[in-house]
Amino acid sequence: MAKKKPADPANGSAPAARQVPMREFSRSLPMSLLRAREAVMRQFRPSLRQNGLTEQQWRILRALAAIDAVEVTELARTAFLLGPSLSRILRDLEARHLIERKTAKEDQRRSMVSISEKGVKLMAVVAPTSEAIYAEITRRFGARKLTELQEMLGELEQCLSGLGSVDEAIAEE
Amino acid sequence: MAKKKPADPANGSAPAARQVPMREFSRSLPMSLLRAREAVMRQFRPSLRQNGLTEQQWRILRALAAIDAVEVTELARTAFLLGPSLSRILRDLEARHLIERKTAKEDQRRSMVSISEKGVKLMAVVAPTSEAIYAEITRRFGARKLTELQEMLGELEQCLSGLGSVDEAIAEE
DNA sequence: GAGAGATATTTAACATGTTAAGTGAATTCG
DNA sequence: CGAATTCACTTAACATGTTAAATATCTCTC
């Protein structure tokens, strides 16, 4: 495969065929966040996969490791998963005996979820590698810078969370 | 590598049932990035949805708007989609006549994709609202801070992209 | 110039994201 | 009390993420 593609006349600007006026696509905030996250997750996925876990399943186990038991709704908030996704994943994790479930006595609607012994053992296997990867990322990017980045991300989240959507604010005028 | 395991006994909160030593979950970088991105996308999704577009479909149209025609592989890179996803979405967009496809003459394997007239018109409808939302986000978060954030995200991506995975670097010892 | 390998794209299969609807249990209120 | 409402969770349906395999085409070598 020595052949070069002849074209690609300036990958940045392009001939602009039928240009609709917009920011350059690749520089949009959603894309920046998506690419950054993907770059990070690409580091973790192989290790997780080796242990038969997806990113989301790992999130759930981690969320469960810190507590005794939680209701599904609360877990969804912690692991940042939507109800339906969580519901499916819990079904699977339960079948694999990595978690346990029992309905709450005082409210039959609620289901209390907790990590099982097997789940704890699996975490003990995965955690060291996971932590090592995180440490390496921190080293490469810089610990201070990493903290700074996380603070900015938190602020961004904050300033968009409050009070209705941006969309509404715009519709007002 | 780092053998220093902070152990983190006081993990900030939670009764800590069977604690496996790890960073507090909610402060991990992947979670920060995920939440931030979701906060941003939550602003755009309603408007896109109103126009019958998903986030990814919109990405593709935007990527196509700036150029005359691209091959699928190049488009996948630009829109940051995996091949299989792109393949499905293009099938759909073509059926809706928002894009056009024709196989390249010099290489029958390649398929050249371009946005259609109808696609351009749809973009013209969506773009103003989309830009307004972006402007509002910029206003709330601060233009300078936004630029700074994007730079950091770019650097993060950069420092993780080069040469092999973090995993390999760790396995080395 | 036929076959081995490389390349572009698609299909397959499974897991999750996303919105809407369904189910059963608790709560409210007339 | 009992119908209406709310609540916690699940199912359904469709779109995408993700990896592996299949297809078709092209390129290169012998």
Side-chain angles (χ1 to χ4, degrees):
Chain A
M1 51 94 233
K3 262 26 218 289
K4 265 74 257 150
K5 307 97 159 291
D8 247 354
N11 223 341
S13 50
R18 314 90 158 185
Q19 181 80 289
V20 177
M22 278 202 87
R23 258 163 305 111
E24 197 199 342
F25 171 54
S26 62
R27 285 182 199 161
S28 76
L29 180 56
M31 281 300 286
S32 295
L33 290 166
L34 180 58
R35 281 200 300 250
R37 189 178 135 78
E38 179 54 30
V40 173
M41 284 314 303
R42 206 193 322 274
Q43 310 299 328
F44 289 99
R45 260 190 281 268
S47 157
L48 292 178
R49 186 174 175 72
Q50 274 192 330
N51 292 97
L53 290 175
T54 66
E55 176 194 335
Q56 293 81 357
Q57 293 168 349
W58 178 237
R59 287 221 297 275
I60 291 174
L61 291 186
R62 284 193 62 184
L64 288 178
I67 57 186
D68 195 36
V70 264
E71 357 177 336
V72 174
T73 302
E74 170 67 10
L75 181 56
R77 212 162 36 105
T78 308
F80 209 71
L81 292 168
L82 294 178
S85 294
L86 182 54
S87 203
R88 280 176 305 213
I89 301 175
L90 288 181
R91 189 210 306 144
D92 177 61
L93 292 180
E94 189 175 24
R96 291 158 67 185
H97 303 292
L98 294 173
I99 66 161
E100 288 161 6
R101 253 197 295 201
K102 49 190 169 187
T103 55
K105 304 181 193 71
E106 73 288 1
D107 188 339
Q108 300 287 27
R109 292 172 304 182
R110 287 174 159 74
S111 165
M112 301 306 288
V113 185
S114 55
I115 192 169
S116 71
E117 266 314 305
K118 189 176 171 192
V120 172
K121 284 179 187 167
L122 179 55
M123 284 204 71
V125 171
V126 178
T129 301
S130 194
E131 281 296 292
I133 293 175
Y134 200 89
E136 173 66 13
I137 292 175
T138 304
R139 190 188 66 70
R140 285 199 196 178
F141 188 61
R144 194 169 308 161
K145 221 153 108 182
L146 183 54
T147 302
E148 202 184 328
L149 173 58
Q150 303 224 44
E151 278 170 10
M152 294 189 80
L153 292 173
E155 289 173 31
L156 175 60
E157 199 184 333
Q158 205 61 29
C159 88
L160 294 183
S161 68
L163 316 99
S165 76
V166 173
D167 202 26
E168 296 168 17
I170 290 168
E172 298 278 326
E173 42 180 76
Chain B
M1 78 146 81
K3 66 291 285 89
K4 67 108 59 154
K5 201 71 78 62
D8 238 24
N11 218 337
S13 57
R18 315 88 160 185
Q19 181 78 292
V20 176
M22 280 203 86
R23 258 163 306 110
E24 197 198 342
F25 170 54
S26 61
R27 285 183 200 160
S28 75
L29 180 57
M31 281 301 286
S32 295
L33 290 166
L34 180 58
R35 281 199 301 249
R37 188 177 136 79
E38 178 53 30
V40 173
M41 284 315 302
R42 207 194 320 274
Q43 310 298 327
F44 290 99
R45 260 190 280 269
S47 158
L48 292 178
R49 187 174 175 72
Q50 273 192 331
N51 293 96
L53 289 175
T54 66
E55 175 193 337
Q56 293 82 356
Q57 293 168 348
W58 178 236
R59 285 220 298 275
I60 291 174
L61 290 187
R62 286 193 61 183
L64 288 178
I67 56 184
D68 195 38
V70 265
E71 358 178 332
V72 173
T73 302
E74 169 67 9
L75 181 57
R77 214 163 34 108
T78 309
F80 208 71
L81 292 168
L82 294 178
S85 295
L86 182 54
S87 201
R88 282 176 304 213
I89 300 175
L90 288 180
R91 189 209 308 146
D92 177 61
L93 292 179
E94 188 175 26
R96 291 159 67 186
H97 303 291
L98 293 173
I99 66 161
E100 288 160 5
R101 251 195 299 200
K102 49 190 170 188
T103 55
K105 303 181 194 72
E106 74 286 1
D107 189 339
Q108 300 287 25
R109 292 172 305 181
R110 290 176 158 76
S111 164
M112 301 306 286
V113 185
S114 55
I115 192 168
S116 71
E117 268 312 308
K118 189 176 170 190
V120 173
K121 284 178 187 168
L122 179 55
M123 283 203 72
V125 172
V126 179
T129 301
S130 195
E131 281 297 292
I133 294 174
Y134 200 89
E136 172 67 13
I137 292 175
T138 304
R139 191 187 66 71
R140 286 198 194 178
F141 188 61
R144 193 168 309 161
K145 222 152 105 182
L146 183 54
T147 302
E148 203 183 328
L149 173 58
Q150 303 224 45
E151 278 170 11
M152 294 188 79
L153 292 172
E155 290 173 30
L156 175 60
E157 200 185 331
Q158 206 60 27
C159 87
L160 295 182
S161 69
L163 315 97
S165 76
V166 172
D167 202 25
E168 295 168 18
I170 290 170
E172 296 280 324
E173 42 179 78

